[in-house]
Each structure stands twice: as C-alpha cells, then as structure tokens.
Amino acid sequence: MLQNLKFQVVPHWSPAYRQAIYLRYKLLRQPLGLKYTRAQMEEEDNQIHIIGTLNDRIVACLCLVPLADDTLKMRQVCVDSKLQGSGIGRQLVKFSEYIAAQKGYSRLVLNARDYVIDFYLKQNYRICSDLFLEIGIPHYKMTKTLIPDL
C-alpha cells in the first residue's frame, strides 16, 4: 500500500502548501477550535514545508523553522488519521532529518504533545524539558542531533 508514498519539499503558498494547511487545520487546529489567520500563514514564508503524498493525495506534512545556524524546529507534524500507525510518520520525520542535514543543520528541536512522546523516543529524540502547556495541551521539548551521512 505504501509503495506509492513520496515525500518532497514544497514552496510556500504553492497549491500543495495550501492542501497541507488544510490537513494541518483538520487534524491539529479544528479539534481545539483554532483557525489559521493569513498573518500566521505569511509567517511561514521562511520555513521548509514537507509533504507526504500517497497516490498523489497529501497524507502527511510538517514544517521546519530555522532557529539558529545549526538548529531547526520541527512543527505542525501530522498524518492523515486513517493512516496513523502505518509508518508514514516515521518516514516523514526521517525525510525531514535528511533534508535538514542536506541544508547544513545538525540539530532538530520540537515541542511534542505528551501523547506522542513514545513516537519521538523511538526516532531517537530525547526529552530536554519538564512538562509544559502549549495551547492548553501538555508538551515536552525534545531534541535530536543529526549525524550526516558519510
């Protein structure tokens, strides 16, 4: 089933970016009663937008935000709810790590909702904060040092 799964970086404001915004809204924002504003989307101009497609349908996405010369923040990670647990999220994260390393970054950080901590621990991220609330949801800050391919 996943043999047609593809990942790619897409430009800000592209049709694929707009479709990813809808997926993010449906899975991450709508359940919390939150919406995107145009200003929030404009702030994503400097971010790296990664999508996963299955049979030409966007089923996963995330954003990478430059924080420092060596560090990106991974955010807005989501996989279509019907496909969660299929390995798409793991492949999406791995692809984003590859892109980050190719662009010269050596560290990723993220704020993980408490119920997905185990997912990131299995991807060799480590918890580097106490529990905190973000948008009313318990989170932990996590980090991973990227090892470039030799």
Side-chain angles (χ1 to χ4, degrees), residues 66-104:
L67 295 182
D69 289 344
D70 66 339
T71 306
L72 289 169
K73 179 179 182 180
M74 184 186 303
R75 62 183 291 276
Q76 297 288 289
V77 179
C78 62
V79 174
D80 185 306
S81 55
K82 295 175 187 161
L83 296 168
Q84 290 175 7
S86 67
I88 292 173
R90 180 181 45 76
Q91 291 180 58
L92 173 66
V93 168
K94 186 173 180 132
F95 182 80
S96 72
E97 292 169 356
Y98 169 79
I99 294 297
Q102 290 296 305
K103 293 186 176 288

Side-chain angles (χ1 to χ4, degrees), residues 32-123:
L32 301 174
L34 301 173
K35 295 184 178 186
Y36 282 104
T37 65
R38 178 138 182 113
Q40 287 171 322
M41 291 190 297
E42 287 173 358
E43 287 174 8
E44 295 187 355
D45 185 50
N46 70 329
Q47 298 177 21
I48 301 166
H49 302 280
I50 297 174
I51 63 164
T53 58
L54 185 60
N55 300 321
D56 298 320
R57 184 173 68 89
I58 295 176
V59 296
C61 60
L62 62 74
C63 304
L64 298 172
V65 184
L67 295 182
D69 289 344
D70 66 339
T71 306
L72 289 169
K73 179 179 182 180
M74 184 186 303
R75 62 183 291 276
Q76 297 288 289
V77 179
C78 62
V79 174
D80 185 306
S81 55
K82 295 175 187 161
L83 296 168
Q84 290 175 7
S86 67
I88 292 173
R90 180 181 45 76
Q91 291 180 58
L92 173 66
V93 168
K94 186 173 180 132
F95 182 80
S96 72
E97 292 169 356
Y98 169 79
I99 294 297
Q102 290 296 305
K103 293 186 176 288
Y105 293 93
S106 59
R107 185 169 164 253
L108 285 174
V109 298
L110 58 94
N111 294 344
R113 294 179 182 195
D114 65 343
Y115 57 86
V116 294
I117 292 297
D118 287 341
F119 169 80
Y120 288 107
L121 289 172
K122 289 176 185 172
Q123 313 313 312

